[in-house]
Structures are given as structure tokens and as C-alpha cells.
Amino acid sequence: MSHSWIGGLYFKHHSQGIDYWLFLGTLPSLLWNSNRLPEWLTEVFSSLGTGSFFIDGPIFSKLCYLVTCHPKNIEYILKTNFNNFPKGPDFKEVFNILGDGIFNVDSDQWKVQRRMAHAGFISAEFKTLVANMSQQVVEEQLVPFLDHVAKNGSTIDLQDVCSRFAFDSNISVIFGRHENYLSIELPSSVLAKAVDDAQEAILYRHAMPIFLWKFLSWLGIGRERKLSEAHKTVDVLFQEYISQKREDLIKGVETVDLLSSYIKSSDDLAKSDKFLRDAMLSLFIAGRDTIASGLIWFFWLVSKTPSVEMKILEELKQLLLFSKKRDDDQIEIKWPCIFDSDDLKGLVYLHAALCESLRLYPPLPLNSKSVVKEDVLPDGSLVKPGMQIILSFFSVGRMPWIWGEDCLEFKPERWIDDDGKLLTIEHMPKFFAFNAGPRTCLGKDISFTQMKSAVTAVLFNFHVQVVEGHHTLPLPPAQHQTPRPPPV
């Protein structure tokens, strides 16, 4: 056994597979890898050959994390014994910008908001709105922008484009607003910047003790200062949106959007602007992040796997030919070709490819839970009150003992059975891109609708190609920084 000593404080702890510091525990290792947390946790799981491990804080603290990627543990925590593993007060402190939104609350508060969100999402009017708004953003902004780029032979940051598409799509369905954030000029957005700054600060809060980021917040420096400024910006803008919406409804100006449905609901909570602010912000961020992350990684994976792109295009061509023959005998494909969202629902391979992309790159790579009562998880791990549990969804998709030896391959076929039928998310108890159990994402169908509108228009009308010589990360990302999609 080799040792590496630094001032007598550091040595290698082989039983953990991660660096252990005397007096400080394994916390420095966590902080050191805070900018690549999902990848680092995956490396630890691989080195240990197990589905769970502990991260200990300093000896003078009670800080202790259980990190797990074991599907049975995750299902037990999120579904089987759901009530024993709430978000906990620490979670709400970390995500304080979300206030009392659905992702921050537990128990009765969560049930009320879940019911209200469910009522909004399942309405036929809202589903139609999502489909129409997604198609409108694709047709009026996304395709013209990419056409402009292609004609000029420019290189673009597709991650920025996907984020802008997600921003415009979601702000229209939630607030009924049209910001044109994806116009050819690529305008700036005060709200988009504020949300980005807030999320960056929150990411770093996850990787440091509460007392440390609270101290930095008190000093008003670094990312904590940006978070504070972002919080104020969001408050001002959302108050403006809510006030304007209330005025419009009083004047009889009706729009089909989520905020309107909340305001018009009979629930007393809807009378509070603070409640509406927290609810809409949570849903806006969740929708934007899911779509943006899902799209960029999908495009990158498809660009690196020509066989998948070919099969998707063939499926789209068959759909187009069928729809044309169904209407008349003249088959004429015009450019640009924008697909109707209703026709896209039956595409098996496209849906499988999106699920496979989400398996490898889930929009929420990590989740955290607290512990109410002492419990033993299915893999034998003992958890106690006061302990934090980190669920590594990112790592789940990269474990051969979970998905097979080909787990790192982008393989949509794993989602299709021998009869050519799609295996649904419910058939995959090891897939957690949309969470699981009572907190399963209510907007997953909406997310697929928005993503399908974008990917079909982009793939059918353009060819996405990674810039030659640009450094990209292999699957899985190993000894590198947190992977970011390349410009294309």
C-alpha cells in the first residue's frame, strides 16, 4: 500500500477507493471534484465495484453522505418507502431561490402543488398549447436561425441554441409570453442570465458544507453574490409577469397558459403572488433544463453515431410519405419540413433514441434526500437520521452490472422489444431520468413533445457536425472536467 502524505494530514484509504484526509474525512475529495461531481462519483463506483459508498465529513461534524446508484436502493427511496426520505430542510436552504415551489416542499404542501400541476398538465387545452407553441418556435425561430447559420457557413454553440429554444418554448407555455430569445440576433435575456447564475451557485452549494456557503453568502462574495443578485432579478420579473397576467384576466384577455390556469383555480393559494412566483419558477426551470440538456446531448450523440441518425431519418421519411399518400396522390416534400406533433407520437425509433440519450445524460444527474428514521436499504446500507443520501442517476446508466457490458453505447435498440414495440419507461425500473414514485416528473410527456418538435426539424432539414479538431469527451467521461457539448 502506497502512502502520500501532505503535512501529515493526508493518506490513501483503499477500502473507500477515495482520498481520506485526517481530521477532514473524505470531504476534501468531494470539494476537489465539485466541478465534475457526476463523473467523479461514477469513477468511484467503478473502482469500488459496488452500488453504494459513504462520504464522511470532518471528525468534529456530523456530516455524512451515502452515495448510491443501486437501482433497488433508488426505487426503495423514491417509491417503496417514500415517506422516510423527504427532501429535508437542508435541500430547501440550498435551493432557497425556489421558495416554496413544488421541488422544495414535502408532505401536505407538496400534495397540494402536485394536484394543481397535474390538473394543468393533463388538460387537453394545455397539451395542445405545448404542441402548438413548440411547433411555432421551431418554425419561426429555430429553423430560420439554423438556415441563416448554414447559408453563412458559421459555427455555432448548439448548447446555447438549445437553451434558447427551451427558454422560449417554456416561457410561452407557462406565462403566455413570446420573448424571441432565439431570434437571429441572439439577444440577451436578463431572466436567462439570472437563472444561469443561480444554478451555477446552487451546483457549488451541493459540494460544500452548509456553514461554508452560508459564510460566503454572508460575505456577499463569489457565486453567492451572483445568486443573491439573481434572486432579486427573478423576484422583480416574476412579479411583473404575474401582475400583468392578473390585469389581463380582469380585462377579459384570455390566454391558455399555466399561470392563467393557476390564477383561475379555486384554490386559495392562487391568491398569493408569492405562491405563484414560487410555483411558476420551479416549473419554468425544470422544463427549461430538461429540454435544453436533453436536446444538446441527443444531438451530440446522434452526430457521433451516424447509424442512429440514418434510422431516425428513414423513420421520418416513411412518416412523411405515409401522411402525403393519406391526403392525396401527389407526394411533394417542401423545405423546410416541419412535422406535426400528433404524427410524431407513433415514432418508435425516435422515442427510443431520446430515451437512450436521457439514460446516458439525465437532465438531473444527481438528487438528494434526507432520512427520517433509521433504515436498511436493499443493498444492506444502513442509513440514519441526519444523514444525506445522494442518488447518482448519472452513474446508473454507466454501470455494466445494471445495463450490461454495452452500457456506454448509444443504443436505442435496447428500448425496443423483439416485436418492434417500444419499451415504456414503466418497463425500465432502472431508468430514473424523470425520477420515480410519487415525485415522478409530471411534465415528461410535455418534454418529449417539445424535444421531438426540435430534433425532427433539425435532423430532417440540417446535418449536425462537430467542428473538426474540437476536443470532445469520450463515453464515459473519465479523467476530465465536467463534459460540455462541443460547438457545431
Side-chain angles (χ1 to χ4, degrees):
M1 174 178 176
S2 61
H3 297 73
S4 178
W5 295 89
I6 301 178
L9 292 178
Y10 166 76
F11 64 93
K12 188 76 171 180
H13 193 311
H14 283 295
S15 64
Q16 283 283 317
I18 55 179
D19 297 338
Y20 186 94
W21 296 67
L22 194 61
F23 303 127
L24 298 178
T26 50
L27 184 61
S29 296
L30 179 67
L31 296 175
W32 182 260
N33 291 281
S34 61
N35 64 332
R36 54 185 298 272
L37 206 52
E39 296 77 30
W40 175 66
L41 295 178
T42 301
E43 292 166 12
V44 176
F45 282 125
S46 297
S47 67
L48 293 174
T50 186
S52 302
F53 66 90
F54 289 93
I55 294 178
D56 301 312
I59 58 174
F60 51 82
S61 75
K62 296 181 180 180
L63 185 65
C64 181
Y65 296 95
L66 170 72
V67 189
T68 185
C69 70
H70 198 298
K72 290 185 177 180
N73 284 354
I74 297 176
E75 184 178 27
Y76 183 80
I77 292 168
L78 297 180
K79 185 177 181 179
T80 308
N81 199 13
F82 170 76
N83 290 329
N84 194 45
F85 302 99
K87 296 278 187 178
D90 289 348
F91 186 96
K92 188 173 181 179
E93 283 194 90
V94 172
F95 288 89
N96 63 334
I97 192 173
L98 297 181
D100 292 320
I102 190 171
F103 301 112
N104 262 2
V105 294
D106 290 307
S107 305
D108 292 340
Q109 281 186 298
W110 168 76
K111 290 178 182 178
V112 171
Q113 294 200 47
R114 177 86 174 182
R115 173 175 49 79
M116 293 181 70
H118 183 262
F121 288 167
I122 66 171
S123 72
E125 285 185 336
F126 186 71
K127 290 181 179 179
T128 300
L129 172 71
V130 171
N132 291 342
M133 286 298 99
S134 299
Q135 190 167 330
Q136 181 178 332
V137 175
V138 166
E139 191 169 359
E140 297 180 2
Q141 296 185 64
L142 179 60
V143 169
F145 174 80
L146 294 178
D147 182 40
H148 172 76
V149 169
K151 288 179 178 178
N152 286 278
S154 307
T155 298
I156 60 169
D157 180 356
L158 194 56
Q159 176 165 307
D160 180 48
V161 174
C162 291
S163 295
R164 288 171 180 270
F165 170 80
F167 180 94
D168 276 345
S169 297
N170 282 281
I171 204 165
S172 61
V173 300
I174 292 178
F175 295 103
R177 302 177 64 87
H178 302 281
E179 297 291 315
N180 295 319
Y181 188 42
L182 185 51
S183 60
I184 291 175
E185 298 79 14
L186 293 180
S188 60
S189 167
V190 176
L191 177 58
K193 183 180 185 303
V195 171
D196 287 340
D197 287 345
Q199 290 181 293
E200 182 182 1
I202 289 171
L203 175 63
Y204 278 85
R205 281 185 172 186
H206 270 86
M208 62 178 68
I210 291 179
F211 75 85
L212 182 54
W213 66 254
K214 281 188 174 181
F215 179 65
L216 297 176
S217 178
W218 179 74
L219 292 176
I221 60 175
R223 294 181 179 87
E224 288 297 324
R225 179 179 180 178
K226 286 187 176 182
L227 177 57
S228 177
E229 294 171 350
H231 200 150
K232 295 176 183 177
T233 299
V234 167
D235 287 347
V236 171
L237 290 175
F238 273 53
Q239 182 59 53
E240 176 187 326
Y241 298 164
I242 294 166
S243 297
Q244 185 62 54
K245 184 63 64 177
R246 288 193 188 277
E247 290 180 16
D248 289 344
L249 291 174
I250 291 174
K251 294 177 181 177
V253 180
E254 293 283 341
T255 55
V256 182
D257 53 72
L258 204 59
L259 177 57
S260 293
S261 70
Y262 268 59
I263 292 177
K264 292 187 292 184
S265 72
S266 59
D267 200 298
D268 289 340
L269 286 172
K271 298 176 183 178
S272 166
D273 285 1
K274 171 64 166 58
F275 168 78
L276 293 174
R277 177 263 186 212
D278 295 346
M280 295 303 107
L281 178 60
S282 296
L283 296 174
F284 172 73
I285 290 179
R288 191 197 76 144
D289 288 359
T290 298
I291 302 306
S293 173
L295 286 177
I296 186 56
W297 285 117
F298 177 83
F299 285 131
W300 182 62
L301 288 166
V302 168
S303 73
K304 307 301 289 185
T305 319
S307 61
V308 171
E309 181 179 21
M310 181 180 67
K311 291 178 181 179
I312 292 174
L313 290 176
E314 183 59 34
E315 190 175 46
L316 292 175
K317 290 176 183 176
Q318 291 300 317
L319 170 65
L320 199 58
L321 293 174
F322 173 76
S323 64
K324 292 295 182 181
K325 289 180 179 178
R326 182 182 58 197
D327 295 335
D328 52 62
D329 294 330
Q330 301 298 318
I331 300 176
E332 181 181 359
I333 300 177
K334 297 181 179 180
W335 192 97
C337 182
I338 309 296
F339 293 86
D340 185 272
S341 60
D342 287 335
D343 291 334
L344 299 176
K345 292 178 181 178
L347 298 184
V348 172
Y349 197 81
L350 173 63
H351 195 95
L354 284 167
C355 289
E356 180 69 349
S357 175
L358 292 168
R359 179 186 71 86
L360 287 166
Y361 291 101
L364 181 67
L366 305 172
N367 198 358
S368 65
K369 295 288 183 179
S370 61
V371 182
V372 175
K373 297 179 181 179
E374 183 174 311
D375 204 348
V376 178
L377 302 184
D379 74 343
S381 298
L382 175 66
V383 293
K384 298 181 178 182
M387 182 183 293
Q388 289 293 118
I389 302 176
I390 297 177
L391 309 177
S392 182
F393 300 148
F394 182 88
S395 302
V396 172
R398 287 165 165 68
M399 295 294 108
W401 57 275
I402 298 177
W403 287 95
E405 293 301 322
D406 62 350
C407 64
L408 302 182
E409 295 180 27
F410 180 49
K411 186 178 177 182
E413 288 77 9
R414 74 176 80 244
W415 291 87
I416 304 173
D417 66 18
D418 294 337
D419 296 325
K421 295 181 179 179
L422 187 70
L423 294 173
T424 65
I425 291 174
E426 289 71 25
H427 290 132
M428 290 287 194
K430 51 191 177 181
F431 179 72
F432 303 104
F434 294 100
N435 219 316
R439 282 189 180 267
T440 297
C441 177
L442 288 171
K444 63 179 184 296
D445 292 335
I446 294 173
S447 297
F448 277 117
T449 296
Q450 292 176 309
M451 287 191 288
K452 286 177 182 179
S453 293
V455 300
T456 52
V458 172
L459 293 183
F460 200 84
N461 295 294
F462 305 94
H463 177 63
V464 178
Q465 185 174 358
V466 177
V467 173
E468 185 176 353
H470 181 81
H471 175 66
T472 58
L473 301 180
L475 284 175
Q479 298 175 356
H480 303 280
Q481 298 298 309
T482 301
R484 293 183 67 84
V488 294

